Amino acid sequence: MQLLSGEAALRRVDDPAFQARWRALHTRCPWAGACQHPDFVAPWYRLYLPGILPVLVLAETGDGMLAGLLTLALRHGSRRLTGAGEHQAEYQAWLAPSGQGDAFMLAAVRALREAFTGADLCLRYLPPGIPLGWIDALGSERSLVALRPHLRPVMQVEAGAMARQRNKKNHRQNFNRLNRMGEVRFERVLAHDSFAALFDELCMQYDFRQAALYRQMPFTSDPCKKDFHLALHRQGLLHVTVLTVGGEVAASHFGLLSEGRALHIGILTHSPAHAMHSPGNLLLAMLGVQLAQEGVPVLDLTPGGDAYKEHFATGHDTVHELTVHGSAARRLAAQAVAGLRRQARGALQKTGYRGADLAAAFDALHPGWLGRVGRRVRARPCSLRYQWQAAAADMDGPALARNRLADVLRFDARHGPENRWQFMGTVMKRMERAQDLYTLTQDGSLVLSCWVQAAPVSSEKDALVLSDLMVHRQLDSEALLRRFVEQLVAQLRRDRPGAAVFYRGRLDPALRRSIEGCGFVADGLGAPQ
């Protein structure tokens, strides 16, 4: 047995001869997955230094072969050892040949407790089939071990079943609806250059949805996350599929591939502008057919309880969350905290709200709400109709964008009418209701945006309604504001000749004068409700 940390661990990981023995052990281990592969662990260690301390526990036979390996990481200032990859490793486990897993892990835990006194060892999740007999062999230290089971949904990949699933009525209908918007194509992205070229778009789709739902932006907040996924794809560990509509990415999935065993659900993205036609579910249905063709036996839907996972699951098995606490006091404290969290989560679920909803409620108490209320008090509801016979010709300057997430992510919370998370949530909900957001950026910030929706107004059955014009508080160019509105109307009239154009909503006096200067007049229909 050896325990290596820091530079000594890194030198061993980067040693080609050691990596060859590592790969051989990975092949012999019955429960090994992608997260224990050297092509996953080595780039993660390199990219996430110096924030983590690499830790290896390994056993070698007399002839130099690896008989066991556990790759770990310790955050600086932390007392919590986790599997290499931390939260990006869905499965954290040790490697050992069949029949030797218990003996190796028993010795590994004792070596870790001696080297890292008082630290917790946390592995989430242990894959099915991994030996757990070593826990009882700990003797008096058995009481420090917490083993929590989690139900894992899986989809067994069988060609006939996958074809039937793809041809279900809802998937056929969504395919046909999307196909009317543009040619629908599904493909696996094998060429690394192709993946690198579209990866920014996938990251934006994912970060946008995470921001709107959970107030977090994983790729934006973690500067290493993108490079890590690029490295995984370059090494062949990342399985990537995309669904495009008219050449635009409507949905995508990229997840780890445990060769010959399973594809693990990883990151699903979709364009909010296509959301009403469920492109993510359609992609998963088509992914099942693709996996059958590739000979992948299982789509691991991973624990989590998401509704879409249960929809696609053909069965369930059990994985475990393992914690070996550093002391009895740390176990008691962890149990108390976990109990409180479960109670809080249960109480919140009964109300139908999420944690992000509570955060949004607290936002309303922030001092900034006074300014928002003040601006709303000055604004008055109005209904205006565009009256000029011909829209103004396109002006020189930056082109308007339609439903471009890159612009949405440039929202400047310091000078907008709402905070960043509220804005993202609003955009997601309105795009999913088939409303279009037109935007203009300047110096890296979103300075102007306006919503457009096709909706009848009074006797006009073919009408386009503008609403919620957002102007950056520091924009002091009246000419740019008017040019934005004029370009927007010109573009709408080109795309839909003959449609009446309205602005309906609340406007303060200055904005109303600006819009009226672009050719809008009161239509006499009264203020919108």
Side-chain angles (χ1 to χ4, degrees):
M1 288 289 296
Q2 297 180 55
L3 190 151
L4 305 174
S5 63
E7 288 297 327
L10 286 176
R11 284 195 298 270
R12 189 66 62 94
V13 165
D14 290 334
D15 177 16
F18 179 76
Q19 285 206 8
R21 297 197 299 273
W22 186 347
R23 293 173 195 275
L25 175 61
H26 191 278
T27 302
R28 302 199 315 274
C29 179
W31 58 86
C35 298
Q36 290 77 53
H37 198 279
D39 289 339
F40 178 94
V41 176
W44 187 82
Y45 276 154
R46 287 193 293 270
L47 285 166
Y48 283 88
L49 286 172
I52 54 101
L53 177 75
V55 178
L56 300 183
V57 186
L58 58 101
E60 293 179 333
T61 61
D63 57 3
M65 290 185 64
L66 269 179
L69 178 64
L70 176 60
T71 58
L72 302 169
L74 182 68
R75 281 274 164 191
H76 292 314
S78 170
R79 299 181 67 191
R80 188 172 182 266
L81 285 157
T82 67
E86 296 181 321
H87 61 277
Q88 297 186 82
E90 189 76 28
Y91 298 98
Q92 301 175 6
W94 55 96
L95 298 176
S98 181
Q100 299 179 38
D102 279 324
F104 168 75
M105 193 55 182
L106 180 62
V109 167
R110 287 175 172 163
L112 287 166
R113 288 181 59 74
E114 183 177 345
F116 297 93
T117 304
D120 297 337
L121 171 63
C122 306
L123 300 178
R124 179 180 179 184
Y125 297 102
L126 300 180
I130 198 166
L132 299 174
W134 60 271
I135 297 176
D136 290 330
L138 281 171
S140 61
E141 296 177 313
R142 171 66 180 85
S143 62
L144 299 178
V145 179
L147 193 65
R148 185 180 174 196
H150 294 266
L151 204 61
R152 179 179 75 158
V154 295
M155 184 176 81
Q156 299 294 331
V157 176
E158 189 275 319
M162 296 302 97
R164 289 191 295 274
Q165 178 174 257
R166 163 64 184 88
N167 289 318
K168 284 183 177 179
K169 182 178 179 180
N170 60 323
H171 296 316
R172 284 188 286 106
Q173 288 178 334
N174 285 325
F175 179 91
N176 292 335
R177 289 165 183 155
L178 289 169
N179 209 42
R180 287 194 286 271
M181 301 167 67
E183 182 188 6
V184 175
R185 294 188 62 188
F186 171 88
E187 63 176 320
R188 179 178 176 187
V189 183
L190 288 167
H192 184 68
D193 288 346
S194 299
F195 176 59
L198 62 83
F199 194 37
D200 281 343
E201 176 65 23
L202 308 189
C203 293
M204 280 190 292
Q205 287 188 3
Y206 185 67
D207 271 8
F208 168 75
R209 184 166 179 80
Q210 293 294 303
L213 291 176
Y214 307 113
R215 299 179 159 232
Q216 52 186 273
M217 301 175 70
F219 282 98
T220 302
S221 60
D222 181 352
C224 299
K225 193 176 182 73
K226 179 180 176 181
D227 288 339
F228 180 50
H229 281 81
L230 288 171
L232 292 175
H233 187 268
R234 190 181 297 111
Q235 297 297 332
L237 283 184
L238 200 65
H239 188 285
V240 180
T241 48
V242 296
L243 183 76
T244 58
V245 176
E248 297 182 357
V249 177
S252 75
H253 170 259
F254 44 103
L256 290 169
L257 181 65
S258 292
E259 193 67 39
R261 293 174 180 170
L263 171 63
H264 310 280
I265 280 286
I267 291 179
L268 279 163
T269 83
H270 71 261
S271 162
H274 297 94
M276 65 187 305
H277 303 307
S278 302
N281 281 350
L282 178 59
L283 178 139
L284 286 177
M286 300 175 86
L287 176 59
V289 176
Q290 175 77 18
L291 295 180
Q293 294 171 355
E294 295 176 9
V296 178
V298 173
L299 177 61
D300 166 23
L301 295 163
T302 71
D306 301 279
Y308 80 89
K309 294 181 178 181
E310 296 303 324
H311 173 76
F312 284 95
T314 60
H316 297 79
D317 58 16
T318 302
V319 297
H320 291 87
E321 183 177 355
L322 169 74
T323 303
V324 182
H325 294 280
S327 66
R330 288 182 66 82
R331 174 165 188 176
L332 288 173
Q335 287 176 330
V337 170
L340 290 173
R341 284 178 176 169
R342 284 194 296 272
Q343 289 179 7
R345 193 181 301 117
L348 198 59
Q349 288 174 345
K350 288 180 181 178
T351 67
Y353 290 98
R354 300 170 297 118
D357 298 322
L358 287 183
F362 281 115
D363 282 342
L365 304 177
H366 190 274
W369 75 275
L370 288 171
R372 295 195 289 273
V373 170
R375 291 191 296 278
R376 186 167 179 82
V377 167
R378 292 191 296 273
R380 294 287 185 271
C382 64
S383 181
L384 308 175
R385 178 172 182 152
Y386 187 77
Q387 66 166 358
W388 292 351
Q389 293 302 310
D394 284 355
M395 311 285 287
D396 293 334
L400 306 189
R402 173 176 167 269
N403 296 333
R404 186 159 67 189
L405 294 184
D407 287 3
V408 174
L409 294 173
R410 293 188 179 105
F411 175 76
D412 185 347
R414 295 170 300 169
H415 304 293
E418 51 191 347
N419 72 35
R420 183 182 189 87
W421 312 118
Q422 291 169 325
F423 181 72
M424 301 290 181
T426 298
V427 171
M428 183 186 72
K429 291 174 184 176
R430 295 185 71 162
M431 281 189 180
E432 289 178 349
R433 295 199 296 265
Q435 299 183 34
D436 294 321
L437 181 66
Y438 288 81
T439 54
L440 183 66
T441 61
Q442 190 178 67
D443 299 328
S445 291
L446 178 63
V447 293
L448 288 161
S449 68
C450 188
W451 286 97
V452 177
Q453 182 179 20
V457 177
S458 188
S459 60
E460 297 288 352
K461 303 303 180 187
D462 186 12
L464 295 170
V465 180
L466 283 61
S467 63
D468 294 302
L469 176 65
M470 190 279 289
V471 182
H472 191 294
R473 278 194 247 169
Q474 290 190 342
L475 181 71
D476 56 3
S477 172
E478 174 75 12
L480 183 61
L481 170 57
R482 290 197 178 196
R483 187 166 65 196
F484 174 81
V485 175
E486 289 168 353
Q487 284 181 312
L488 175 54
V489 174
Q491 186 168 329
L492 294 176
R493 288 168 68 89
R494 273 198 314 271
D495 295 342
R496 220 149 130 183
V501 179
F502 294 83
Y503 186 96
R504 292 173 65 81
R506 301 179 73 93
L507 290 171
D508 64 35
L511 276 182
R512 177 164 181 165
R513 286 194 298 270
S514 296
I515 290 180
E516 288 176 340
C518 298
F520 285 84
V521 298
D523 62 10
L525 295 176
Q529 299 300 313

